[in-house]
Amino acid sequence: MTASNGHQKRHVSAGLDRNRPVLPFFILIFSSWILWIPAGARAAAVLPFPWPFELAFFGAFMPFVLGLVFTVRAGGAAAFMRLLGRFIAWRFPIGYWVYALFAMPAAALTMALVLTTVGDSTLFSDGIARLFNGEAIAGVMARNNANVYESMGLFTAFYDWQAGSAAAFFIGFAGIALLEGGVSEEPGWRGFAYPVLRNRWAALPAALAVGAVWAAWHIGPQQWRILFADGLDAFLAFLPGYLALYVVGVLPLSVIFAWLYDSTRGSLLACFVIHASFNMTSTLANQMFDGPVILGVIALLWGTVVAILVTRGWRHFAPRHLR
């Protein structure tokens, strides 16, 4: 192994000890629920005092906080600086940039076209029309405002500004998607948990393990609202189907994000971008098209996982020169 290859391998593995315990991270990640459960109770008009939306929003940053904390515990200041460096690691082949930015919207548009062709319908043209006539944008804004609960003023002001023009909407849409989902989560999932597990096991089981916890973690305020609004029986009836759908959707994303992380020498910036791209695509596509489009996108994601396993195998997702 050359010195150059040795440097690359240490960069991809993030310099984290394979024996570093990950279970405490996976347990503590659910502390987000401490902020989300009261938000759900307040949304159901059960909590007798205000619960600002900003508190619920901060709950989404628990993977970020714990990713930094556990990285410092694992490797001290040096590991912390490596982690921060991966936040801005942009020097990787252009093809991965293209994939991170455009793969998700391309998948949604492709599935809309396929369903339009198969069904001989106007699904695709109607969806594009909803985007350009502002109907889809209005739907996203209505969804955002419904989720705010009781803002301390920050989100109310932000959404008021975002509603001012199409340009403001898309700038704000991209900014929030990059912040909540990309920056708020990836330092934990791909910054800490995945590299440690991959060095201990292999790429595929590590990605699937992270994906399983990632999916379960996503029981947010709107889901907890069902418990307080409709009762325990309704919540327990709802939860298995919700988690099953989330697992089916999140597991392929976890593998794809891991492949991108490995292939870009551990760039968390690439993970920020593709995470934001998926969140924007799924949110906007739900307003533009019918539900089957998103299900079709998930099918394409699983197809991508198969392609990764065929071309890279299940032990290593990085190209050979980076292993």
Side-chain angles (χ1 to χ4, degrees):
M1 179 182 292
T2 66
S4 174
N5 282 344
H7 171 74
Q8 289 172 337
K9 185 171 183 178
R10 286 193 299 272
H11 189 77
V12 174
S13 67
L16 296 173
D17 185 353
R18 62 182 294 173
N19 296 318
R20 180 61 49 181
V22 178
L23 183 59
F25 171 85
F26 282 155
I27 293 173
L28 289 174
I29 208 75
F30 290 96
S31 58
S32 296
W33 290 359
I34 296 173
L35 299 175
W36 291 347
I37 292 174
R42 185 62 178 176
V46 171
L47 196 70
F49 51 85
W51 191 264
F53 176 76
E54 285 78 2
L55 289 176
F57 185 78
F58 179 74
F61 283 79
M62 202 57 67
F64 173 91
V65 173
L66 292 177
L68 266 60
V69 169
F70 275 81
T71 296
V72 171
R73 288 187 61 195
F80 178 73
M81 294 308 297
R82 280 194 296 269
L83 181 66
L84 294 185
R86 289 184 287 143
F87 280 28
I88 56 174
W90 60 273
R91 293 184 177 178
F92 47 83
I94 188 66
Y96 295 117
W97 269 113
V98 172
Y99 188 88
L101 285 166
F102 302 116
M104 300 304 170
L109 291 174
T110 298
M111 288 311 307
L113 279 171
V114 169
L115 292 174
T116 297
T117 302
V118 172
D120 192 23
S121 67
T122 59
L123 174 69
F124 184 83
S125 59
D126 288 348
I128 298 300
R130 288 192 193 100
L131 177 62
F132 283 98
N133 67 17
E135 184 180 339
I137 293 176
V140 173
M141 290 301 302
R143 172 183 174 273
N144 290 343
N145 287 320
N147 287 340
V148 165
Y149 312 120
E150 297 165 303
S151 171
M152 295 169 59
L154 176 63
F155 280 91
T156 301
F158 175 78
Y159 288 142
D160 287 345
W161 167 80
Q162 195 180 17
S165 67
F169 168 79
F170 280 106
I171 291 171
F173 190 35
I176 287 293
L178 189 62
L179 186 63
E180 184 187 15
V183 174
S184 68
E185 296 184 34
E186 290 304 319
W189 305 130
R190 253 62 59 180
F192 174 76
Y194 170 70
V196 173
L197 289 179
R198 187 209 47 213
N199 291 340
R200 184 183 305 170
W201 301 339
L204 181 62
L208 293 177
V210 171
V213 178
W214 185 18
W217 174 77
H218 272 94
I219 304 177
Q222 285 289 5
Q223 289 71 51
W224 288 112
R225 183 194 63 80
I226 296 172
L227 172 64
F228 297 102
D230 303 322
L232 181 60
D233 289 344
F235 181 71
L236 293 178
F238 155 81
L239 197 57
Y242 173 80
L243 287 177
L245 286 174
Y246 238 102
V247 167
V248 168
V250 166
L251 287 184
L253 284 177
S254 190
V255 174
I256 291 168
F257 289 10
W259 161 77
L260 185 65
Y261 172 91
D262 285 349
S263 300
T264 57
R265 299 180 182 177
S267 172
L268 285 176
L269 178 59
C271 296
F272 295 164
V273 170
I274 195 170
H275 199 142
S277 178
F278 176 79
N279 285 355
M280 292 177 68
T281 297
S282 58
T283 299
L284 199 55
N286 274 327
Q287 299 298 327
M288 293 172 60
F289 308 113
D290 295 331
V293 168
I294 297 301
L295 296 178
V297 169
I298 292 173
L300 285 179
L301 294 179
W302 278 108
T304 303
V305 169
V306 172
I308 291 171
L309 296 179
V310 169
T311 58
R312 297 283 175 85
W314 65 278
R315 292 185 178 276
H316 305 281
F317 291 155
R320 287 188 177 277
H321 70 282
L322 295 182
R323 297 176 188 175

